[in-house]
Amino acid sequence: MIEKINEKNVWESVRECGLPVVLYGMGNGADMIMDTLGEIGVPVADIFASDEFVRGHSFRGHKVLKYSEVCEKYNDFCIVLCFAVHDEPTLHRIRQMSEKHLLFVPNVPIVNDGNFTREYIAANDEKFDKAYGLLADELSRKIYTDVLNFKVSGKTEYLFKCQSEKEEAYKNCLKINQNEIFMDLGAYDGDTVREFLTACDGKYRKIYALEADEKNFKKLIANTADIDRLEAFNLAAWDKKETLAFEKKKGRNSKLSAAGTISIQSDSVDNILSGREITVLKMDIEGSEERALDGAAQTIKKYAPKLYVCGYHRNSDMFALPIKIHSLNSEYKIRFRHHPYIPAWESNFYAGIE
């Protein structure tokens, strides 16, 4: 796989750019990026935020500027994006900035397992090759290569040219029909349930929804109160029944962590269903996808549900998940899609028997 990676590591490109390095965004992502830049000897010249967030405050000793103020201050500069974005206006803004300035988006890990680099791909080259070979069509292989090149280089052009809308995946990869039994692992506030209902035109047999975070689970219950034949569980998806330690996060989900202070009950798909059928299984569970697939082994063996598995939480997800899916059922056709998001979140594996 390494021979298909045409780019050098993003950190090397930033270090060699010869321009003032300006961060776009604040928060945890900016903290991690500033720390890494410090380790490689790259000073941060300034920090700016979207105009609606600029209130004269500071971040780590830098006054937070507007983009227009940075443009007035420097003839040219290098932008390092420090936050995730998927709304169309901000994606458009970032595309415009990338046309005027060097712009990089380091692939800051969601699960802290190190930076994604050329060296990481080279060290796992056989596994990446195997995963690439398991993909069912040329489009999936092209998107897979583009996403890997983005993860190494931080260049948004790779994501912009390979993205597709989620509706395309529901139609062409999952082939959703009006007789589905849908199981949503990591249901959050019901957003994917709503996507599914749109895809099936509101006609289905049953919905199961799991959400581990208590606050999100309450939102899920409130937001799906009008949906018939939906059964919700305040559980984490895992490979067995167990009490897990979670770390509370400010964002979308809590995170599995040995140092976590929150105890959450978990269970496997096989235990929850107890032999009952599902036809579609979705997983977006903060890096626990591989364990949850093991916990769905009997269901997958018996019913071969269509799979929608997020592949961006761990560095290893890009090869471990398609290899795991194939090991559970070698008849699955596995496809890969990236949906509009920077960085390479919403990069998902879809599988089904055709």
Side-chain angles (χ1 to χ4, degrees):
M1 197 68 218
I2 190 66
E3 73 278 0
K4 296 181 175 64
I5 307 306
N6 306 313
E7 299 287 349
K8 58 186 176 182
N9 293 329
V10 58
W11 305 107
E12 184 179 349
S13 297
V14 174
R15 186 176 58 210
E16 295 176 353
C17 72
L19 297 169
V21 173
V22 178
L23 304 192
Y24 180 12
M26 301 167 285
N28 291 339
D31 275 327
M32 288 188 278
I33 288 169
M34 287 186 78
D35 290 344
T36 301
L37 291 175
E39 290 169 5
I40 63 174
V42 176
V44 172
D46 269 303
I47 296 175
F48 74 97
S50 301
D51 286 1
E52 60 268 27
F53 295 110
V54 177
R55 303 182 299 273
H57 59 300
S58 297
F59 182 79
R60 286 182 58 162
H62 293 267
K63 181 182 177 182
V64 179
L65 305 177
K66 296 181 179 180
Y67 173 62
S68 59
E69 293 174 318
V70 178
C71 291
E72 290 174 5
K73 188 171 182 179
Y74 304 103
N75 290 328
D76 197 8
F77 49 92
C78 171
I79 299 172
V80 179
L81 185 70
C82 301
F83 61 97
V85 55
H86 62 94
D87 67 282
E88 180 53 39
T90 311
L91 287 172
H92 179 67
R93 185 187 311 154
I94 290 167
R95 190 194 290 264
Q96 288 182 317
M97 288 179 180
S98 71
E99 293 171 353
K100 296 179 180 179
H101 311 280
L102 273 179
L103 188 149
F104 297 104
V105 188
N107 191 75
V108 175
I110 299 174
V111 176
N112 193 15
D113 52 355
N115 292 318
F116 200 103
T117 62
R118 286 186 60 88
E119 292 74 18
Y120 181 79
I121 295 178
N124 294 280
D125 201 37
E126 290 185 7
K127 295 175 183 177
F128 279 106
D129 277 341
K130 183 174 181 179
Y132 179 85
L134 290 173
L135 298 176
D137 57 19
E138 186 57 36
L139 177 59
S140 294
R141 291 187 286 271
K142 178 186 179 300
I143 295 170
Y144 188 82
T145 304
D146 283 339
V147 169
L148 289 180
N149 270 295
F150 165 76
K151 285 175 176 284
V152 168
S153 71
K155 294 181 178 179
T156 56
E157 63 196 63
Y158 286 106
L159 296 186
F160 284 129
K161 73 178 181 179
C162 77
Q163 68 186 20
S164 62
E165 296 300 324
K166 185 75 73 66
E167 291 80 4
E168 185 272 334
Y170 279 111
K171 179 180 178 181
N172 297 326
C173 299
L174 294 174
K175 297 180 171 61
I176 295 296
N177 60 54
Q178 297 184 346
N179 196 39
E180 306 286 12
I181 304 172
F182 179 55
M183 191 170 200
D184 185 354
L185 309 185
Y188 185 44
D189 64 359
D191 55 347
T192 308
V193 169
R194 294 291 182 183
E195 287 180 0
F196 166 74
L197 290 173
T198 298
C200 70
D201 197 25
K203 298 179 176 64
Y204 59 95
R205 282 190 281 166
K206 174 82 173 179
I207 298 172
Y208 300 96
L210 271 69
E211 174 53 46
D213 183 271
E214 184 178 2
K215 185 176 180 181
N216 290 337
F217 183 73
K218 290 178 181 178
K219 293 179 182 178
L220 170 67
I221 295 299
N223 292 341
T224 59
D226 61 334
I227 299 175
D228 295 330
R229 302 184 303 284
L230 184 146
E231 192 172 350
F233 302 82
N234 189 193
L235 289 170
W238 199 234
D239 60 354
K240 58 186 174 182
K241 189 178 184 67
E242 189 175 3
T243 301
L244 302 175
F246 271 65
E247 174 187 344
K248 190 70 176 177
K249 294 167 64 180
K250 292 182 180 179
R252 177 183 174 103
N253 289 90
S254 296
K255 179 177 69 174
L256 184 64
S257 171
T261 58
I262 301 171
S263 294
I264 292 181
Q265 297 302 311
S266 70
D267 210 342
S268 69
V269 168
D270 290 340
N271 285 342
I272 293 166
L273 292 176
S274 299
R276 288 172 290 180
E277 180 188 11
I278 55 172
T279 64
V280 184
L281 177 60
K282 170 258 182 178
M283 299 182 178
D284 184 357
I285 43 179
E286 302 299 300
S288 299
E289 285 80 7
E290 194 172 1
R291 294 289 291 264
L293 282 167
D294 281 331
Q298 294 304 312
T299 301
I300 290 171
K301 181 178 180 180
K302 184 174 182 180
Y303 296 111
K306 292 172 273 194
L307 302 179
Y308 160 180
V309 183
C310 294
Y312 55 88
H313 296 107
R314 296 181 182 275
N315 289 341
S316 60
D317 283 348
M318 288 292 286
F319 58 79
L321 293 179
I323 291 171
K324 173 63 71 175
I325 291 168
H326 179 74
S327 74
L328 293 172
N329 191 326
S330 61
E331 295 185 16
Y332 272 128
K333 301 293 185 183
I334 304 171
R335 291 180 167 80
F336 184 70
R337 294 291 187 270
H338 171 72
H339 308 300
Y341 222 119
I342 296 174
W345 300 0
E346 279 295 350
S347 298
N348 305 324
F349 293 99
Y350 299 94
I353 293 177
E354 301 174 2

